[in-house]
Amino acid sequence: MRALPLCLSALLLAGCSLTQHTQPTTTAPVVKEEPKPVKPKPAPVRPAPVKLYKDAEALVGTPFRDLGEVSGESCQSDQNDTPPSLAAARKRMLTRASYMKANAVLLHQCEIVGGVPGCYQQAICQGSALNVTFK
């Protein structure tokens, strides 16, 4: 009886050693790749500075072109978050105007509103994006 487990384990080891075949190694020719030229990364796109006009009278006598309406928002997700910021909403509005190639914004209104879906409170600023010809 003791010889049976010994014979089975010897047979098992012999079977495992037969399944591992070594393939003859062939050497592939070594191909040297030329290094690729390193392209410089483009500078990050920064919005151009945009001037904020709070009063339309400041634009009297100055030629400008109206590029359309722009707005910016700042959201307070729930009651425990930081309150919405009018300054952040104004900055986002100026950034969006910059992407429209505007160099000025005439501010219409900034206010904090409640009951906006997804926000406990929201600061919203609206204005007109302008391309002003400065003298």
Side-chain angles (χ1 to χ4, degrees):
M1 267 322 231
R2 291 184 184 172
L4 183 62
L6 186 60
C7 290
L8 285 176
S9 59
L11 185 61
L12 180 66
L13 289 175
C16 289
S17 66
L18 291 176
T19 59
Q20 295 179 357
H21 295 163
T22 57
Q23 297 290 332
T25 57
T26 57
T27 57
V30 177
V31 178
K32 287 191 174 184
E33 294 184 23
E34 295 181 20
K36 295 180 181 177
V38 177
K39 295 181 183 177
K41 291 184 178 179
V45 178
R46 290 187 139 169
V50 177
K51 185 173 180 178
L52 180 66
Y53 289 97
K54 295 182 180 181
D55 189 16
E57 291 179 11
L59 290 168
V60 173
T62 306
F64 66 88
R65 189 173 62 142
D66 190 347
L67 300 175
E69 294 287 317
V70 289
S71 65
E73 305 85 25
S74 175
C75 179
Q76 178 184 5
S77 299
D78 61 34
Q79 192 172 6
N80 297 328
D81 283 348
T82 56
S85 167
L86 288 174
R90 204 170 18 252
K91 184 175 180 179
R92 287 186 181 118
M93 177 183 65
L94 294 175
T95 302
R96 288 181 181 155
S98 170
Y99 290 128
M100 294 172 65
K101 306 294 185 206
N103 60 5
V105 171
L106 175 60
L107 181 65
H108 298 300
Q109 67 178 358
C110 276
E111 62 184 353
I112 295 180
V113 294
V116 178
C119 292
Y120 178 72
Q121 283 187 327
Q122 186 176 30
I124 300 174
C125 288
Q126 296 174 333
S128 294
L130 306 174
N131 194 348
V132 178
T133 305
F134 295 107
K135 293 181 181 180

